[in-house]
Amino acid sequence: MNLLKKGNRNNWSFYLLGANEMTSKKVAEVISKTYPNISILGRQHGFFDQNNEVQIADEITTWSPDVLVVALGAPKAEFWIHKFKNQLNVRIAIGVGGSLDIIAGTVKRAPVKEEVKCELALSINKSTF
């Protein structure tokens, strides 16, 4: 959400890649209404055929958004960004997991205490290696 607030303050443009068609459309509407200074240059649901990846990357390159939001799930989003990083003409490319679903209102955000427990478990897990 902080990225959206900063984007709104700085008139950034976004391209949304991922989620299902209904969520993709809804999140674009919610962002446009909530953050009026953000431009949504394009969007593509995440259920595309692998044969269409180059066409999607070309479209993103053509639009040249400030921010590319990729919600294909981890680690698929990160692999996709890495695969096309030299082609994409974006300032920021970020994998966001299920954040588009939360912004669209199709999924509720986890309670903060659960989020903290997960972060704590992750940090403990990392420290054991």
Side-chain angles (χ1 to χ4, degrees):
M1 297 299 218
N2 288 334
L3 185 63
L4 291 171
K5 288 177 185 174
K6 187 167 186 168
N8 193 54
R9 280 194 308 270
N10 294 295
N11 299 305
W12 287 350
S13 58
F14 283 67
Y15 188 100
L16 309 174
L17 175 61
N20 63 43
E21 178 61 25
M22 182 186 75
T23 299
S24 175
K25 185 176 181 179
K26 179 68 175 174
V27 78
E29 292 169 2
V30 169
I31 291 172
S32 294
K33 188 178 283 186
T34 309
Y35 304 97
N37 296 326
I38 287 179
S39 299
I40 303 294
L41 299 181
R43 63 175 185 81
Q44 167 64 49
H45 66 77
F47 295 92
F48 53 85
D49 189 284
Q50 197 170 7
N51 296 329
N52 295 339
E53 281 186 323
V54 172
Q55 178 184 354
I56 293 166
D58 287 344
E59 179 178 286
I60 295 166
T61 301
T62 299
W63 283 109
S64 187
D66 294 307
V67 181
L68 169 61
V69 174
V70 183
L72 299 175
K76 188 175 179 182
E78 291 74 16
F79 288 142
W80 197 92
I81 292 167
H82 181 76
K83 182 176 182 178
F84 292 102
K85 70 179 181 179
N86 294 325
Q87 174 185 342
L88 299 170
N89 189 22
V90 300
R91 293 174 55 198
I92 300 168
I94 184 168
V96 297
S99 296
L100 297 185
D101 293 296
I102 293 168
I103 295 167
T106 57
V107 173
K108 289 188 178 190
R109 183 178 179 164
V112 174
K113 66 180 181 176
E114 295 301 319
E115 195 173 286
V116 171
K117 287 179 189 176
C118 290
E119 287 178 15
L120 179 61
L122 182 60
S123 65
I124 291 170
N125 190 27
K126 285 183 177 180
S127 67
T128 60
F129 292 103

